[in-house]
């Protein structure tokens, strides 16, 4: 019999109080689509689950000197947001392909990122959108760039007494187009074999800036910096994009492994092809605005 | 085992459950209220047999801690027919279109369809497929199910 207590505080102060009281014996739960599954699969639970679903004011998508997304925003809210779809297209792509409608109705973006799976569908999009992760603790707030947030598989820089409260995407991103592709065998209810995100900014047909994010390509979601550097100040042509794909797929940028879903060599081939395809779609997404 | 008292609206009626704090909404519906329409298929949010509607949205009740139902409005398959037993148009459409084979997925399918049609009365086929992607029919009768939902949408206009 699995036993645990369940607390549902209504303010961050109460959450900090409970985290202090129970320390490592407590775990946070948001939508619960990872936490509840883990408890069932491992037959192990923390002594106390602290639900964040009472923090109702952490559900929002705002544009005000950059973009602000509350940690408890559900994937369904992101999927249905016109602002996300047109201006943060990669995030729309990522949020709308997670699980099913039933899962997306409860699962939160904060939970997806804190769970820190190498396959997290919102991680790649947030990487190429230059997101910062805002953490709040009893001593106040701090923000870290998302590329520093993941420290290992299922590991992050979040301290035990902190809560992820918001994602911030810089205003500059409104000039970028972006796209994410979840490469998987089915269209729904699946984890990606590989995820490729690209964002770029164009000056006529010259790529003035670019970001590439890869998921399931390393122990954490990663940026392909060398491939990004290569793209800068080059023309948006098939040859250039193909070369960027090759660099992104090289050991300089990623370290995919053999797993149940796909072998490393296969993942590298997908990266090579999909970096170019996503760059094309990202460019289209600028024009379609 | 610590028990918790949870009050919510169930199929239109105010109810209170006194159940172990670790119970899911699904377990509470089945074991405490004896509403066995929602099924436990996988228990991990993949199959959708446990789908119910909470505050207008389809959710997997197997992953929904009962604690979170406090103050919410929960609707199950048992609550969608009329008080006199008249079937809901989606139920009729499933019958008329052979949208039911073994029946195990049916309650979940109908609840996903209802949440969709309540939010979007005129869905395209693709919308229907997206909204039932989290409901597995292992008899694989998806074509009839999609047609049943299309028929229900027309009837409900």
């Amino acid at each position: 019999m699995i036993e645990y207590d369940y607390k549902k505080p209504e303010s961050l102060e109460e959450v900090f109080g409970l985290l202090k009281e129970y320390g490592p014996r407590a775990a946070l739960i948001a939508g619960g689509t990872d936490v509840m599954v883990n408890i069932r699969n491992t037959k192990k639970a923390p002594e106390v689950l602290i639900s964040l679903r009472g923090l109702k004011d952490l559900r929002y998508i705002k544009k005000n000197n950059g973009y602000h997304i509350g940690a408890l925003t559900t994937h369904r809210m992101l999927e249905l947001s016109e602002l996300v779809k047109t201006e943060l297209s990669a995030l729309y792509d990522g949020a709308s392909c997670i699980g099913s409608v039933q899962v997306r109705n409860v699962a939160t973006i904060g939970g997806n990122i804190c769970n820190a799976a190498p396959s997290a569908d919102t991680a790649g999009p947030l990487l190429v959108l230059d997101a910062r992760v805002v953490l709040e603790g009893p001593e106040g707030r701090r923000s870290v760039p998302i590329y520093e947030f993941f420290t290992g598989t299922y590991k992050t820089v979040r301290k035990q007494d902190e809560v992820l409260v918001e994602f911030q995407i810089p205003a500059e991103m409104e000039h970028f187009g972006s796209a994410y592709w979840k490469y998987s065998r089915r269209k729904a209810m699946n984890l990606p074999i590989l995820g490729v995100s690209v964002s770029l900014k164009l000056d006529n047909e010259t790529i003035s800036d670019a970001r590439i994010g890869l998921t399931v390509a390393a122990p954490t979601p990663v940026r392909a910096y060398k491939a990004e550097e290569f793209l800068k100040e080059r023309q948006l042509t098939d040859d250039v994009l193909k070369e960027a794909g090759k660099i992104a797929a090289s050991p300089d940028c990623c370290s995919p492994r053999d797993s149940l879903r796909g072998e490393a060599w296969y993942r590298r081939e997908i990266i090579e092809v999909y970096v170019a395809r996503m760059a094309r779609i990202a460019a289209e997404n600028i024009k379609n605005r | 085992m610590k028990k918790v008292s949870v009050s919510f609206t169930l199929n239109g009626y105010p109810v209170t459950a006194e159940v172990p704090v670790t119970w899911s909404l699904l377990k509470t519906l089945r074991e405490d209220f004896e509403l066995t329409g929602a099924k436990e298929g996988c228990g991990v949010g993949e199959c959708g047999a446990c789908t119910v509607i909470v505050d207008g949205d389809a959710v997997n009740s197997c992953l929904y801690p009962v604690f979170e139902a406090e103050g919410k409005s929960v609707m199950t398959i048992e609550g969608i027919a009329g008080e006199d037993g008249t079937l809901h148009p989606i139920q009729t459409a499933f019958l008329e279109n052979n949208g039911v084979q073994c029946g195990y997925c049916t309650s979940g399918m109908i609840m996903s369809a209802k949440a969709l049609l309540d939010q979007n009365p005129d869905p395209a086929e693709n919308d229907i497929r997206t909204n039932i992607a989290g409901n597995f029919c292992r008899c694989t009768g998806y074509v009839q199910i999609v047609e049943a939902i299309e028929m229900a949408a027309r009837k409900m206009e």
Side-chain angles (χ1 to χ4, degrees):
Chain A
M1 202 60 159
I2 309 165
E3 287 208 38
Y4 53 84
D5 198 0
Y6 199 97
K7 307 267 186 199
K8 193 177 176 186
E10 279 171 14
S11 70
L12 272 173
E13 288 65 39
E14 279 179 72
V15 176
F16 299 141
L18 288 165
L19 282 172
K20 196 174 175 194
E21 185 181 344
Y22 292 98
R25 291 175 295 146
L28 299 174
I29 174 171
T33 53
D34 285 316
V35 174
M36 299 306 285
V37 173
N38 284 342
I39 290 176
R40 189 184 165 104
N41 287 346
T42 61
K43 309 226 181 301
K44 272 189 249 161
E47 199 176 307
V48 184
L49 284 182
I50 302 170
S51 167
L52 299 176
R53 285 203 258 192
L55 307 175
K56 295 200 172 59
D57 51 356
L58 290 184
R59 286 175 201 273
Y60 54 82
I61 302 162
K62 287 189 285 206
K63 186 179 179 185
N64 173 16
N65 191 16
Y67 305 83
H68 302 263
I69 299 170
L72 288 163
T73 304
T74 64
H75 294 94
R76 189 70 175 156
M77 289 167 70
L78 294 167
E79 181 185 4
L80 297 176
S81 157
E82 220 28 64
L83 178 70
V84 173
K85 193 171 182 176
T86 52
E87 299 187 23
L88 307 171
S89 315
L91 189 55
Y92 164 81
D93 295 340
S96 60
C97 70
I98 288 185
S100 59
V101 170
Q102 291 98 312
V103 167
R104 298 199 287 277
N105 275 332
V106 293
T108 67
I109 183 169
N112 194 231
I113 294 305
C114 283
N115 188 49
S119 57
D121 281 304
T122 60
L126 289 172
L127 274 170
V128 300
L129 292 168
D130 259 359
R132 292 186 73 87
V133 179
V134 182
L135 296 159
E136 190 165 329
E139 259 88 76
R141 286 190 167 204
R142 67 178 175 126
S143 94
V144 291
I146 186 139
Y147 57 81
E148 286 177 5
F149 186 73
F150 304 109
T151 54
T153 305
Y154 303 113
K155 290 195 181 84
T156 73
V157 300
R158 185 181 75 83
K159 295 191 193 120
Q160 191 271 327
D161 62 351
E162 288 179 317
V163 176
L164 195 167
V165 292
E166 185 181 83
F167 296 94
Q168 295 175 344
I169 294 170
E172 190 200 355
M173 278 296 142
E174 72 185 314
H175 306 296
F176 282 67
S178 64
Y180 167 71
W181 184 256
K182 172 183 192 158
Y183 188 83
S184 59
R185 295 180 66 181
R186 290 192 302 262
K187 280 187 184 166
M189 300 309 301
N190 211 349
L191 294 176
I193 297 170
L194 194 95
V196 177
S197 311
V198 174
S199 71
L200 47 82
K201 193 169 146 188
L202 289 175
D203 183 2
N204 292 315
E205 285 303 293
T206 306
I207 300 166
S208 51
D209 207 353
R211 315 257 185 284
I212 299 170
L214 304 174
T215 32
V216 215
T220 66
V222 289
R223 289 263 300 266
Y225 294 105
K226 284 211 167 160
E228 295 174 6
E229 276 310 312
F230 173 81
L231 282 176
K232 278 175 207 166
E233 304 308 328
R234 284 198 158 81
Q235 296 287 305
L236 182 73
T237 65
D238 288 343
D239 287 345
V240 165
L241 295 180
K242 206 172 161 186
E243 186 58 30
K246 274 194 183 141
I247 300 170
S250 74
D252 284 342
C253 292
C254 63
S255 53
R257 64 185 187 115
D258 293 339
S259 79
L260 188 69
R261 287 191 183 78
E263 291 183 33
W265 69 267
Y266 182 59
R267 290 193 161 106
R268 287 195 197 276
E269 294 214 349
I270 300 167
I271 294 170
E272 201 174 317
V273 173
Y274 273 87
V275 162
R277 288 192 195 170
M278 287 306 104
R280 283 282 177 201
I281 296 176
E284 281 301 306
N285 284 340
I286 304 180
K287 290 171 196 159
N288 293 341
R289 232 174 249 166
Chain B
M1 175 80 56
K2 186 183 164 184
K3 286 208 172 186
V4 61
S5 170
V6 185
S7 299
F8 55 101
T9 305
L10 179 55
N11 295 329
Y13 296 94
V15 295
T16 299
E18 304 265 345
V19 292
V21 68
T22 56
W23 277 23
S24 64
L25 176 58
L26 176 66
K27 191 153 183 174
T28 308
L29 293 172
R30 292 181 59 89
E31 307 287 332
D32 203 52
F33 292 102
E34 300 186 357
L35 296 177
T36 53
K39 310 275 188 273
E40 178 169 289
C42 65
V44 290
E46 300 211 0
C47 76
C50 66
T51 304
V52 301
I53 299 178
V54 176
D55 283 357
D57 289 325
V59 304
N60 294 309
S61 62
C62 72
L63 294 183
Y64 204 94
V66 66
F67 207 102
E68 300 292 347
E70 177 69 35
K72 300 242 163 56
S73 173
V74 178
M75 179 155 285
T76 71
I77 188 75
E78 289 87 353
I80 70 167
E83 293 278 333
D84 61 353
T86 315
L87 293 181
H88 187 279
I90 304 175
Q91 292 174 305
T92 317
F94 268 66
L95 286 175
E96 290 177 5
N97 254 302
N98 296 315
V100 180
Q101 288 188 48
C102 84
Y104 199 87
C105 72
T106 309
S107 342
M109 280 290 179
I110 291 178
M111 296 317 282
S112 280
K114 183 169 190 307
L116 166 66
L117 295 181
D118 287 349
Q119 290 169 11
N120 176 5
D122 185 23
E125 186 191 331
N126 195 36
D127 298 325
I128 295 174
R129 290 190 175 269
T130 300
N131 277 266
I132 61 167
N135 294 86
F136 292 177
C137 164
R138 293 289 89 141
C139 306
T140 72
Y142 291 108
V143 171
Q144 293 97 312
I145 289 168
V146 171
E147 285 171 0
I149 298 170
E150 284 173 335
M151 180 196 239
R154 286 195 301 274
K155 276 196 198 168
M156 287 163 70
E157 264 175 15

